[in-house]
């Protein structure tokens, strides 16, 4: 059976193809694919569907790679708003959005609430995935990078050691 060009499965395949282009450093080819997937999901699922939130997040990640920081920030915030509203404030996808916003702000040297973003993401991941999950290790490593940026070397080292212990298990 044919799904039609506006089916969410088409959007999923487009996102996968866009990710392949992005992995191959073909950002210019990835962008229209991500945008098309986003448009399909908005039409077929609704503007506030969690998949639409995730689509905003992946497009924001592409824009971060391309140093289009203003647009990346706008899309990350939109993703976070949708995911919090639809999945709840304790969902791992919300934590992922928080982590991505923190990474973007570190790129920009806007350290104001970076630590609190990482800490909130970390709390969600630990509660939902367990304290020994590799995603926890990744977030610990990101928080350690923030501490290193801020000259808090001892704090950074402590977190990196914990992250290493998790991933070595």
């Amino acid at each position: 059976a044919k799904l039609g060009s506006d089916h969410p499965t088409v959007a999923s395949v487009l996102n996968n193809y866009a990710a392949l282009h992005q992995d191959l450093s073909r950002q210019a080819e990835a962008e229209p694919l991500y945008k098309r997937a986003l448009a399909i999901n908005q039409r077929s699922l609704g503007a506030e569907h969690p998949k639409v939130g995730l689509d905003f997040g992946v497009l924001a990640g592409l824009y971060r790679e391309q140093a289009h920081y203003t647009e990346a920030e706008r899309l990350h915030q939109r993703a976070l708003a949708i995911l919090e509203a639809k999945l709840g404030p304790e969902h791992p996808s919300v934590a992922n959005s928080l982590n991505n916003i923190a990474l973007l702000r570190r790129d920009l040297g806007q350290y104001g609430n970076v630590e609190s973003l990482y800490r909130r993401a970390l709390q969600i991941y630990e509660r939902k995935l367990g304290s020994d999950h590799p995603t926890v290790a990744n977030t610990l490593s990101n928080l350690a990078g923030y501490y290193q940026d801020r000259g808090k070397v001892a704090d950074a080292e402590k977190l990196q050691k914990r992250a290493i212990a998790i991933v070595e298990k």
Side-chain angles (χ1 to χ4, degrees):
K2 293 184 180 182
L3 299 177
S5 60
D6 261 2
H7 194 279
T9 300
V10 174
S12 179
V13 172
L14 287 168
N15 273 325
N16 291 340
Y17 191 38
L20 172 64
H21 283 297
Q22 190 174 356
D23 288 347
L24 296 172
S25 298
R26 296 185 206 150
Q27 286 83 358
E29 294 171 57
E31 183 179 6
L33 297 169
Y34 281 138
K35 284 182 171 181
R36 184 173 164 213
L38 172 62
I40 290 169
N41 280 334
Q42 285 176 315
R43 281 191 305 271
S44 63
L45 301 172
E48 301 298 314
H49 193 278
K51 282 187 180 181
V52 171
L54 296 172
D55 287 349
F56 278 125
V58 294
L59 185 56
L62 176 70
Y63 288 149
R64 178 177 166 247
E65 273 185 21
Q66 295 174 313
H68 298 301
Y69 298 120
T70 302
E71 189 63 6
E73 171 83 15
R74 186 182 73 77
L75 294 180
H76 275 312
Q77 291 295 342
R78 184 75 182 111
L80 178 61
I82 291 170
L83 295 170
E84 279 184 315
K86 296 300 177 181
L87 301 177
E90 294 293 309
H91 194 277
S93 292
V94 169
N96 189 53
S97 284
L98 295 166
N99 187 63
N100 289 335
I101 293 168
L103 286 168
L104 176 64
R105 294 201 178 147
R106 274 183 61 203
D107 287 349
L108 295 170
Q110 298 173 352
Y111 295 111
N113 68 341
V114 168
E115 181 177 11
S116 64
L117 291 167
Y118 280 136
R119 291 213 170 270
R120 183 173 167 216
L122 192 57
Q123 289 170 351
I124 294 168
Y125 285 140
E126 287 177 325
R127 280 196 293 267
K128 297 297 180 178
L129 304 177
S131 60
D132 289 339
H133 194 277
T135 303
V136 169
N138 184 59
T139 306
L140 286 168
S141 185
N142 288 343
L143 179 57
Y146 162 78
Y147 284 147
Q148 186 175 339
D149 292 349
R150 307 303 288 158
K152 298 178 178 181
V153 178
D155 292 331
E157 185 174 20
K158 178 181 167 189
L159 292 179
Q160 292 292 18
K161 284 181 178 179
R162 182 174 166 214
I164 291 167
I166 291 170
V167 296
E168 284 183 337
K169 278 189 177 182

